[in-house]
Amino acid sequence: AAQSNSSSQIVCVAGQCLQGVANTSIGATLSIPSNPSILLLPGQYPSSSQPQLLHDALSSQRATLSLPSGFSNSTASSITPSLPLTIALQPGVLSYSQSLYKGQATFTQLPSTANFSTPTLPSGSFLVAPNTWAALTSSNTRLIVWDAIPDFAQLPPSTASGSLTLTDIQSAACPTPCASTGICTPAGTCSCQPGFNGTSCETCASGFFGPECQPCPSNCETCDQGLTGTGKCLVPTVTNPPSSCNCLNGVCGTNGQCTCNPGWANSNNGTACASCAPGFFLDSSGNCSICQLGCTQCSDGTGQCTACKTGFTQNANDRTRCVSVSSIPGSTTQQCPDGSFTNNGNCTLCSPTCKTCSGPTSSDCIVCGAGQYTLNGQCVGTDANGICSGTSMVANNVKEECDSCPAKCTACKIPNFNAASTIDQAQCTGCLPGFVLSQGKCLAQCPSGTFLGTDNLTCTPCDSTCTTCVDNSKFCLACASNQLASNGTCVTSCPSNTFSSSGACLSCHPDCATCTGSAFNQCSTCPSSRPVLSSTGRCLPTCAKNQYLDPSSAKCVQCDSSCSSCAGPGSNQCMACADQGNVLTSGTCAPAKCTSQSGVVPGLGVCLSDLVAVPNPTATPPPLPTFTPPAPVTAPSNGSRRLAWWEILLMALGCAFIFVMFMWLWRRRARKQRAKQTALFARKLSQRAVWRKRFGRVADFFKGANTGVNGGRSKFGLGHHYVKETEYQKLQRLRDEESKRHAMEMDKLEGKIAKSSVVRQPSITSDHDDPSYSLTSPKHNRASAPSLYSQLTRLPRSGPEPKQPTHDLDLERGDLLSSRFSVTTRATSIFHNRPEELPPLPARYPSEAERIVEEHRLQTAQQPVTSYWLVPADTLPAHTGTLVPAHTGGSTGSKNPFRLL
């Protein structure tokens, strides 16, 4: 703990401060750079704390508060204070070796259970946490301390003698006081010792016994438990009981399977070993008894046979029996005496082991011979206890066969077995787990007057003095002759700290010295550790804070009005003062004589001036120094500064920008990778296409076709259907198809022209007047040639040339070109940016119409052009064969200039 400082220091409590030499060790030290340290005494410091120096110091962000032992509830001994601030002792007590809270300090924490060490305290000063009391015991008195004691010498003289020992610490937060086996926590609940239970820790938990709630013995399922119990084992722990594997009359194995006792089998409801096996029936005692000889199935309860073995029939006189057919009088089978059987009309001797038989071997016995009993078709002997050889079954002299033991027996015997013994004399020698053996029977528990022996199987009779005993024959739980059982012994009266109940002396509750019952509120007198007998019958450790205990009546009496707590009657027995302006002097509360304009420190019971040594106590204290704000720190060493809103916004925007850039770079990289993969795929595909095209050209070469543009299929199936056409090749193929179609139309037109003669008048000059013009000229290919109208009339059209229709194949394939080979739309979108010319059409013979037009053009090339109109055919020579119009614009008739005559 901190020691008093000989240097100048400021000591403060809420509302007042003094500067001088600290004369105490209590409180927390407040440190601010460029300012003197401040010792803060315990108390509450509100947001408007005065003086100003104290307020400024507590509001500084550079302030550091050092907390001594007992004032810090965490591992950190230094914190950054903030207003409002509370400096209070943690739950427990703090003792000092000297008065005025000086010297060596020892903090004793509020224990979590009622069991804690009882240290000897120094007789200096003492501080108790709020809402907590402590019990101090000296050689001749017991003190209950609720408030701080600045000096033990100022207590009442009758209480301050001898050394003091701390015997108890309790919180006063619990609405109902805890029992002696619990302790009140600051949360307002009782914390119990191990083994105790209840809201006030007043009872033993299940499996615990006695006043100290000790655990029951091991390997014991149920013991004599509770506060009044003896702890003796009543029901031992059973290993693998039948119920653990849903078994009724069998033994559960470690694998969870049930092994049935002889005569038992699984039931239809799923319970193992709950029904009688075939050949057995359930009798009136609840046992499975074997059916009579020759009977394979019989009814429960009566034992009447419902099915007989082969060669047997039900006895007419005794329905429980089946007899051999050959033994029935009047049967066609020859009847033989006992010891023989019928064999081909003769009587043949049975096996020596058989009394009666149906064949020569020992397996053919119907009734076994003397001393032998039938078991699964064989004759077996017995031992002296009537147990059939190799089994746990016993001999039944009446049925002359081996029968099962009683239901809960794993083994049985018939003592002194002879031919006159009956099955009712069978006695169990072993029981199923969970059952006990008493007088040859397996029972669920030992009967009255007996106890379970150390073997956890056999019930043994109690001593004659006991009617009920446990563990041994003389440890009585109930006595004969109207005596009382007290801790296993029979007495005539109950000893102290016990009470009589149902023929036994039971212990009082641990809180009571004497009692009328076992509950903690049935006390008659109280022990010294809990001397207060309340009106509810409870023994309590202390009275209320403003009360003291009257030893003569064991009742609580009100303290003097000047005392907040006291040790006895009168104003001179105060332990603390009720008036905050008074201080304690030899047990009496007197007005405080504080100096330096100070007052009594709340909660400490001493003047502030007594805790600070100033040069002149009687004079007015000098003013406190002015608070100097510490220089700002650019970078806090601990890095715990809170961020401003704009800093958080900038960081958020920066993170968003980084995220966007990352996504953009990632997408860019992904696009590049995708482009590389696409190019690689196209390269591979192009290489395959080149080779296919080469093979196709070779095949077309041998076939005599064009190389890949004629639309044919090569010998190897590698035509243009498999090699992708370029735009240029596509246009060339369309041009060839259009030329073929045009040739067919011209052939049709030529047939009509042969029927008429048309003479053309001289026309204006045009491109076709050029002598070098030819339909087969490479300069005038089909894609750039004039329309059919211009070729025949030698006249230009007044409007744009109509586009020619496309083939269905082109429409299906979507290969629509911008130009359909007309004069007005000569350029195409395909070759808009292509500088090269279309290749010329291959050489071919002109059609008849083209030949006539060409001859006419040559004849008129030397004549001057005088008119654009055609003249009538009768004004021209007959051999010209030109076109003449039928009408030239009259009001009636057709205006078609191509009408043929």
Side-chain angles (χ1 to χ4, degrees):
Q3 301 293 329
S4 59
N5 193 354
S6 60
S7 61
S8 178
Q9 191 177 18
I10 300 175
V11 180
C12 292
V13 70
Q16 54 182 332
C17 292
L18 282 180
Q19 185 175 15
V21 178
N23 195 27
T24 184
S25 302
I26 194 172
T29 303
L30 182 66
S31 302
I32 310 101
S34 305
N35 290 275
S37 62
I38 301 176
L39 180 64
L40 300 180
L41 299 178
Q44 294 183 349
Y45 296 83
S47 300
S48 58
S49 295
Q50 296 295 328
Q52 189 64 34
L53 171 67
L54 177 61
H55 182 271
D56 294 341
L58 290 174
S59 302
S60 175
Q61 295 183 354
R62 299 286 305 280
T64 302
L65 188 64
S66 300
L67 299 171
S69 175
F71 288 89
S72 175
N73 58 354
S74 64
T75 57
S77 59
S78 298
I79 61 172
T80 300
S82 61
L83 292 175
L85 176 67
T86 300
I87 299 178
L89 186 67
Q90 296 299 311
V93 296
L94 187 62
S95 58
Y96 292 87
S97 59
Q98 300 178 27
S99 60
L100 300 179
Y101 314 106
K102 293 187 299 183
Q104 182 67 33
T106 303
F107 177 70
T108 303
Q109 188 177 7
L110 186 70
S112 57
T113 62
N115 292 332
F116 69 101
S117 59
T118 55
T120 300
L121 301 179
S123 57
S125 51
F126 194 74
L127 182 66
V128 184
N131 203 26
T132 304
W133 60 266
L136 306 180
T137 303
S138 64
S139 58
N140 58 354
T141 186
R142 181 175 181 267
L143 293 178
I144 302 298
V145 181
W146 290 87
D147 301 289
I149 302 175
D151 189 357
F152 275 101
Q154 301 302 324
L155 293 177
S158 60
T159 62
S161 60
S163 60
L164 298 174
T165 302
L166 180 64
T167 57
D168 198 3
I169 306 175
Q170 293 274 353
S171 173
C174 295
T176 302
C178 301
S180 59
T181 54
I183 189 167
C184 183
T185 64
T189 59
C190 294
S191 177
C192 303
Q193 293 182 14
F196 287 88
N197 200 359
T199 56
S200 299
C201 307
E202 72 276 11
T203 61
C204 284
S206 178
F208 294 83
F209 73 95
E212 297 180 357
C213 288
Q214 301 174 7
C216 289
S218 59
N219 299 325
C220 184
E221 184 175 347
T222 304
C223 75
D224 186 14
Q225 59 185 359
L227 286 171
T228 60
T230 60
K232 298 296 183 180
C233 187
L234 303 179
V235 179
T237 301
V238 179
T239 303
N240 294 330
S243 58
S244 64
C245 61
N246 194 28
C247 186
L248 190 61
N249 295 289
V251 178
C252 293
T254 56
N255 58 354
Q257 300 296 324
C258 182
T259 302
C260 298
N261 290 344
W264 292 92
N266 296 337
S267 176
N268 293 331
N269 61 7
T271 304
C273 309
S275 300
C276 291
F280 293 82
F281 71 97
L282 188 66
D283 61 16
S284 58
S285 300
N287 302 322
C288 282
S289 298
I290 195 167
C291 297
Q292 295 282 358
L293 286 173
C295 184
T296 59
Q297 190 172 352
C298 48
S299 301
D300 290 340
T302 61
Q304 290 186 0
C305 190
T306 57
C308 297
K309 293 197 306 183
T310 303
F312 286 77
T313 185
Q314 192 175 32
N315 192 326
N317 298 323
D318 188 357
R319 308 296 292 180
T320 63
R321 293 176 176 271
C322 289
V323 296
S324 176
V325 176
S326 61
S327 62
I328 300 175
S331 64
T332 58
T333 305
Q334 181 180 0
Q335 295 185 6
C336 294
D338 292 345
S340 63
F341 67 97
T342 302
N343 185 11
N344 296 325
N346 298 319
C347 291
T348 305
L349 290 175
C350 297
S351 172
T353 59
C354 302
K355 180 179 179 182
T356 62
C357 66
S358 60
T361 65
S362 59
S363 301
D364 298 324
C365 294
I366 298 175
V367 178
C368 296
Q372 299 287 315
Y373 298 88
T374 302
L375 177 64
N376 297 327
Q378 300 291 332
C379 293
V380 296
T382 62
D383 60 7
N385 293 317
I387 302 175
C388 294
S389 300
T391 68
S392 60
M393 303 176 71
V394 293
N396 189 329
N397 286 326
V398 176
K399 297 180 180 179
E400 299 181 295
E401 53 186 336
C402 295
D403 207 344
S404 61
C405 293
K408 304 303 178 183
C409 300
T410 56
C412 61
K413 66 177 183 179
I414 300 177
N416 303 320
F417 177 75
N418 54 47
S421 299
T422 61
I423 192 65
D424 296 335
Q425 297 174 349
Q427 296 181 1
C428 297
T429 57
C431 299
L432 295 176
F435 290 85
V436 296
L437 185 62
S438 176
Q439 297 181 355
K441 296 181 179 180
C442 290
L443 307 175
Q445 60 183 6
C446 290
S448 178
T450 62
F451 70 96
L452 186 62
T454 56
D455 59 355
N456 291 333
L457 176 64
T458 307
C459 295
T460 305
C462 295
D463 187 76
S464 59
T465 58
C466 305
T467 56
T468 304
C469 62
V470 67
D471 197 36
N472 62 73
S473 61
K474 293 186 178 181
F475 193 95
C476 301
L477 297 179
C479 298
S481 304
N482 294 326
Q483 289 187 316
L484 300 174
S486 175
N487 197 24
T489 305
C490 293
V491 296
T492 56
S493 62
C494 289
S496 60
N497 199 28
T498 62
F499 67 98
S500 176
S501 175
S502 301
C505 295
L506 304 179
S507 299
C508 292
H509 194 275
D511 289 359
C512 307
T514 59
C515 61
T516 58
S518 60
F520 73 146
N521 58 355
Q522 293 179 311
C523 299
S524 300
T525 59
C526 298
S528 59
S529 60
R530 303 178 72 85
V532 180
L533 181 61
S534 68
S535 58
T536 59
R538 287 195 58 186
C539 290
L540 303 177
T542 180
C543 297
K545 180 178 180 179
N546 59 350
Q547 294 178 338
Y548 70 94
L549 176 65
D550 183 6
S552 60
S553 63
K555 302 295 183 182
C556 292
V557 182
Q558 199 75 15
C559 292
D560 187 79
S561 60
S562 63
C563 308
S564 64
S565 61
C566 62
S571 60
N572 60 347
Q573 296 294 318
C574 293
M575 298 284 292
C577 298
D579 191 347
Q580 292 293 333
N582 293 344
V583 293
L584 189 65
T585 303
S586 298
T588 302
C589 291
K593 298 179 179 180
C594 302
T595 61
S596 301
Q597 299 181 357
S598 65
V600 178
V601 180
L604 297 183
V606 65
C607 293
L608 178 61
S609 58
D610 294 336
L611 302 179
V612 184
V614 297
N616 188 2
T618 59
T620 302
L624 297 174
T626 304
F627 177 77
T628 303
V633 178
T634 57
S637 59
N638 56 2
S640 59
R641 182 180 65 85
R642 296 183 61 182
L643 298 176
W645 67 268
W646 58 272
E647 294 175 320
I648 299 175
L649 179 61
L650 286 179
M651 287 192 295
L653 292 177
C655 293
F657 176 76
I658 293 173
F659 176 76
V660 171
M661 290 300 298
F662 171 78
M663 293 300 298
W664 180 76
L665 293 175
W666 180 77
R667 290 288 301 275
R668 182 181 178 184
R669 180 175 178 272
R671 285 196 297 269
K672 288 183 177 181
Q673 291 181 348
R674 187 163 56 250
K676 289 180 180 180
Q677 294 176 356
T678 303
L680 180 61
F681 175 78
R683 191 180 302 115
K684 293 180 179 179
L685 187 62
S686 178
Q687 292 175 356
R688 291 196 297 268
V690 167
W691 282 106
R692 289 194 186 100
K693 185 175 180 181
R694 290 176 180 177
F695 283 119
R697 288 179 177 177
V698 172
D700 292 338
F701 174 77
F702 288 105
K703 192 176 180 180
N706 293 333
T707 57
V709 297
N710 58 352
R713 183 178 300 271
S714 67
K715 178 179 180 181
F716 304 99
L718 298 174
H720 75 279
H721 293 287
Y722 295 93
V723 179
K724 184 177 180 181
E725 290 182 328
T726 63
E727 294 179 354
Y728 182 79
Q729 292 172 339
K730 184 188 299 183
L731 184 59
Q732 187 175 13
R733 177 174 53 79
L734 293 177
R735 185 184 62 184
D736 294 339
E737 293 176 356
E738 186 69 18
S739 299
K740 294 179 181 180
R741 186 183 64 82
H742 177 69
M744 293 177 62
E745 292 177 352
M746 293 301 295
D747 291 341
K748 294 178 181 180
L749 183 62
E750 184 179 0
K752 294 181 179 181
I753 292 176
K755 298 178 181 180
S756 62
S757 298
V758 180
V759 179
R760 178 183 179 274
Q761 292 288 346
S763 61
I764 63 175
T765 304
S766 66
D767 291 341
H768 294 172
D769 296 334
D770 188 359
S772 63
Y773 174 81
S774 173
L775 292 175
T776 61
S777 175
K779 180 179 178 181
H780 300 282
N781 53 43
R782 184 67 182 89
S784 60
S787 65
L788 179 62
Y789 176 83
S790 299
Q791 294 180 25
L792 296 178
T793 63
R794 303 297 292 172
L795 297 176
R797 290 185 62 87
S798 60
E801 295 285 347
K803 291 188 176 182
Q804 301 177 16
T806 60
H807 291 285
D808 294 340
L809 179 62
D810 296 331
L811 291 174
E812 293 176 0
R813 295 173 52 182
D815 298 331
L816 300 178
L817 302 178
S818 300
S819 174
R820 297 305 299 172
F821 316 112
S822 65
V823 174
T824 57
T825 56
R826 178 175 296 177
T828 64
S829 62
I830 299 177
F831 294 93
H832 180 71
N833 296 322
R834 187 182 299 275
E836 63 270 20
E837 293 289 338
L838 290 174
L841 287 171
R844 63 181 180 82
Y845 293 101
S847 63
E848 185 66 22
E850 290 176 340
R851 185 183 58 78
I852 296 173
V853 171
E854 183 65 18
E855 291 177 356
H856 181 75
R857 186 188 67 81
L858 293 176
Q859 293 176 3
T860 59
Q862 304 300 330
Q863 300 178 6
V865 179
T866 59
S867 175
Y868 285 99
W869 301 101
L870 298 176
V871 297
D874 54 0
T875 61
L876 295 176
H879 66 276
T880 57
T882 60
L883 295 174
V884 293
H887 299 278
T888 58
S891 59
T892 60
S894 173
K895 298 180 180 181
N896 186 0
F898 286 94
R899 181 182 180 92
L900 296 177
L901 298 178

